Amino acid sequence: ELRLNYNAGAAAYRAKDYEDAQKFFGDATTSPDLQLQQQAYYNLGNTLFEMGEQLPEPDKKQKAWENAAQNFDSALKLDP
């Protein structure tokens, strides 16, 4: 059940385990439930932003933030 993946991602995010959060939220983006899919994209965007915050290399930080922005865009397309 992809809802469980989403919930696991939320728990990992709260624990600042962004690697696991990225995996679980990424899995949840494949849900046929569009509301769950939208929430997963949004939270994946937050996760990627936080991962980028921790990177010292400007080019890697920018890449993570660009990926975060793409996920926010996907969330907005599902629920403006």
Side-chain angles (χ1 to χ4, degrees):
E1 163 72 49
L2 293 170
R3 168 78 51 194
L4 296 176
N5 286 55
Y6 177 83
N7 291 341
Y13 183 87
R14 283 192 298 277
K16 298 187 182 337
D17 181 355
Y18 300 124
E19 295 288 328
D20 277 352
Q22 179 183 14
K23 177 194 174 306
F24 288 123
F25 287 139
D27 290 346
T29 62
T30 65
S31 174
D33 176 344
L34 295 183
Q35 182 178 8
L36 179 62
Q37 194 181 113
Q38 184 270 336
Q39 292 169 337
Y41 276 119
Y42 177 82
N43 286 298
L44 182 55
N46 284 332
T47 300
L48 292 168
F49 175 83
E50 291 297 336
M51 291 174 80
E53 273 289 288
Q54 299 175 0
L55 296 172
E57 303 92 346
D59 57 329
K60 290 183 181 177
K61 185 180 294 251
Q62 180 178 346
K63 178 86 170 137
W65 287 349
E66 286 171 357
N67 287 338
Q70 289 172 352
N71 281 281
F72 288 134
D73 284 343
S74 294
L76 282 171
K77 287 177 184 165
L78 290 167
D79 185 3

